[in-house]
Amino acid sequence: MLNDDPDKLLKKRPQLIHSENMKVCSHVQREQDDWIVHTLMLSGYDVPFVYKRKQRYQNLSGARVNLSYYPSQQVTAGLEFEIMKVVRLRRS
């Protein structure tokens, strides 16, 4: 799924959102079990974009990226927060 063309993904999954040439303001990587959780903050958005990988990745701060993601909710300390669950990420 990750190597598919974004247009194919959007046709198959209408709730999926695709954005191009987005500027990354901050990129945080932290360990969670056997995964590395990556959190991106994008210029003009106040919602974190989250994805998981098995290993660390180069820092994307200041880079431009193309993203495919789903709106989602995450409960932290009993509070519900809106997040964007990233399913596809490519540097622009």
Side-chain angles (χ1 to χ4, degrees), residues 19-65:
S19 298
E20 294 194 2
N21 205 25
M22 306 299 295
K23 185 171 183 182
V24 178
C25 294
S26 84
H27 177 203
V28 176
Q29 303 178 55
R30 68 183 184 285
E31 291 184 23
Q32 184 179 55
D33 301 324
D34 291 340
W35 292 92
I36 304 294
V37 178
H38 298 260
T39 303
L40 302 175
M41 291 302 292
L42 302 179
S43 191
Y45 291 86
D46 59 351
V47 177
F49 290 73
V50 180
Y51 65 98
K52 292 181 182 179
R53 288 177 53 106
K54 281 290 189 180
Q55 65 251 353
R56 292 194 171 272
Y57 192 69
Q58 61 187 319
N59 192 337
L60 294 172
S61 294
R64 297 251 175 211
V65 294

Side-chain angles (χ1 to χ4, degrees), residues 2 5 7-9 11 13 18 29 41 45 50 58 61 66-67 75-76 85-86:
L2 297 178
D5 181 38
D7 294 331
K8 288 181 189 176
L9 288 173
K11 286 178 186 173
R13 296 169 177 84
H18 181 75
Q29 303 178 55
M41 291 302 292
Y45 291 86
V50 180
Q58 61 187 319
S61 294
N66 298 339
L67 298 164
V75 177
T76 304
K85 178 102 174 131
V86 177

